[in-house]
Amino acid sequence: MSFWKNDFPPLWLYGVLTGILYIGIGLAQGQFTIIWQKAVMICLECIGIG
Amino acid sequence: MKRDRKFVETCLKIGIAMKKIRLSVQIIYTILTNGYLYGFLSGKIYRGRLKYICVPGLNCYSCPGAVASCPIGALQALLNQQGFHIPFGVLGFFFLFGSLLGRTVCGWLCPFGLVQDLLHEIPVFRKRKRLPFHRILKYGKYIVLISLVCIGSLFLFGGFAKVPAFCKYLCPSGTLLGALPLLAVNAQLRGQIGGLFFWKLGILLLILLLSIKICRPFCQYLCPLGAVYGWFNRFSLVQIHWSEEDCIFCGSCRKACPVDLSVHEISRSPECIRCGRCVSACPAGCLHLSAQNRSNAR
């Protein structure tokens, strides 16, 4: 039993791998360009004007 | 297994220094992620490539000094698109930072958390840990996440137009880090101030005033990013480890905890921001903040 217990990678590692996978999918879908386009303009909603 | 005396003494020394270490990390992180000084002088924001990526903490991307994107703002920007797309890019950052750090982000990195911490140090008012009805109010952050960040960005606010509802109607970090520095130097923007700005300014002032009396009211009750990272607290790499064998059950950790968690709840609870005050307060050195060691993990 200890064989199985000790050899399972910890959950946080699955989380990190999922994160990297999702970032990769986001990159492939061009989502970071959308984020960048939003982030380089002054967000009028954020500052309470828009 | 009992730990040796030297290990316990080391834990105690680190615990005592924890407050200074954390404050230094918070200040350095805030300066690094808001270090575009030209923006503060000119009233313009940074437009470089770093804004493709998200920082772990709540940090308005309209802050003139911000060099990267706010994850909540980025999430809303993706949800605001025509049609529905799963926002993989931002979910990826949530999984990455959450799995590594959990709410350590809130305790050690978030600039708005730093502001609340500093205000709480002001020695006026009798300090309280929680608001009345805390057990109900603590779910506020999940309601904000679902209603304002997700549903608000997809459907509800602004008639048929999609708007970043959290940023527009609630975010105090945007007002403090974005609006006030921009409006101070940009006369054109100052001329456009209306009722919405004063609504947001009122929310900011309320939260800042509450912060003097209550520890981190925004983080405890309203922050959608805290709600996201809270889900990762149970299994994140960085944890506060508790050695039950060495614990003398004195309750010092609970007294020191800003969110009033017991020793059994510390670190694993979604409310724990891993500020390390329990580590500093423990007279037996049985609590320590570190990357997960599976053989010691609870």
Side-chain angles (χ1 to χ4, degrees):
Chain A
M1 284 302 281
S2 63
F3 171 82
W4 293 108
K5 250 185 197 171
N6 292 334
D7 279 10
F8 265 118
L11 268 176
W12 66 264
L13 194 57
Y14 287 113
V16 168
L17 294 174
T18 308
I20 292 168
L21 176 72
Y22 280 8
I23 288 172
I25 297 171
L27 208 58
Q29 293 185 348
Q31 293 186 351
F32 291 100
T33 308
I34 295 162
I35 293 171
W36 181 81
Q37 283 167 347
K38 177 75 181 172
V40 297
M41 307 294 287
I42 291 176
C43 167
L44 294 179
E45 291 97 348
C46 302
I47 62 172
I49 290 175
Chain B
M1 198 173 75
K2 282 264 181 190
R3 297 165 307 160
D4 60 55
R5 191 177 168 78
K6 201 174 172 184
F7 180 79
V8 173
E9 279 172 5
T10 311
C11 285
L12 284 169
K13 277 180 193 165
I14 294 170
I16 291 164
M18 184 77 80
K19 192 176 174 184
K20 283 181 186 166
I21 298 170
R22 187 169 74 94
L23 183 63
S24 308
V25 171
Q26 284 176 303
I27 291 171
I28 291 167
Y29 174 85
T30 302
I31 292 170
L32 283 178
T33 53
N34 293 282
Y36 184 63
L37 290 178
Y38 175 73
F40 287 108
L41 301 172
S42 64
K44 292 175 181 167
I45 62 172
Y46 172 74
R47 297 170 62 95
R49 288 174 179 269
L50 279 174
K51 283 212 168 164
Y52 277 103
I53 57 168
C54 296
V55 287
L58 196 71
N59 196 138
C60 184
Y61 43 38
S62 285
C63 168
V67 295
S69 293
C70 169
I72 293 294
L75 176 64
Q76 289 179 112
L78 292 178
L79 292 173
N80 282 165
Q81 284 179 274
Q82 281 289 324
F84 176 73
H85 304 272
I86 298 172
F88 282 111
V90 179
L91 291 179
F93 280 112
F94 287 157
F95 269 92
L96 190 64
F97 297 135
S99 303
L100 291 173
L101 299 168
R103 286 197 80 180
T104 313
V105 171
C106 310
W108 288 71
L109 299 178
C110 183
F112 196 64
L114 169 65
V115 172
Q116 291 175 87
D117 280 347
L118 293 175
L119 285 171
H120 196 63
E121 294 295 320
I122 297 173
V124 290
F125 303 139
R126 196 166 153 240
K127 306 293 179 190
R128 283 185 63 155
K129 289 186 179 181
R130 296 172 162 183
L131 281 175
F133 308 109
H134 169 82
R135 280 168 187 263
I136 300 164
L137 292 177
K138 71 179 180 181
Y139 295 109
K141 53 186 172 291
Y142 302 100
I143 294 168
V144 168
L145 175 66
I146 294 166
S147 62
L148 286 184
V149 177
C150 297
I151 299 173
S153 297
L154 280 170
F155 309 111
L156 291 177
F157 294 88
F160 295 104
K162 294 175 176 181
V163 292
F166 171 73
C167 297
K168 185 169 181 175
Y169 298 110
L170 186 65
C171 183
S173 179
T175 315
L176 182 68
L177 297 173
L180 295 179
L182 275 177
L183 294 171
V185 289
N186 193 324
Q188 197 186 346
L189 287 174
R190 258 199 317 274
Q192 297 176 47
I193 287 176
L196 182 63
F197 173 76
F198 290 108
W199 161 259
K200 284 194 69 181
L201 190 65
I203 289 175
L204 172 68
L205 291 176
L206 181 68
I207 289 169
L208 295 183
L209 271 176
L210 266 178
S211 302
I212 300 173
K213 187 165 178 66
I214 295 163
C215 187
R216 296 209 177 203
F218 182 72
C219 308
Q220 289 199 64
Y221 302 113
L222 293 171
C223 183
L225 201 53
V228 172
Y229 289 139
W231 287 328
F232 292 92
N233 259 5
R234 279 195 79 81
F235 62 86
S236 65
L237 172 66
V238 175
Q239 296 275 345
I240 291 175
H241 296 291
W242 172 47
S243 169
E244 195 172 353
E245 296 94 337
D246 298 293
C247 186
I248 54 173
F249 297 96
C250 61
S252 302
C253 49
R254 184 163 201 162
K255 271 185 209 156
C257 178
V259 290
D260 202 29
L261 298 174
S262 73
V263 72
H264 300 277
E265 298 168 308
I266 281 170
S267 195
R268 300 274 168 128
S269 162
E271 304 303 313
C272 177
I273 56 168
R274 274 85 180 272
C275 61
R277 286 181 209 193
C278 53
V279 179
S280 305
C282 180
C286 69
L287 289 164
H288 63 281
L289 178 71
S290 66
Q292 197 170 31
N293 175 352
R294 286 167 64 209
S295 58
N296 286 347
R298 278 186 287 146

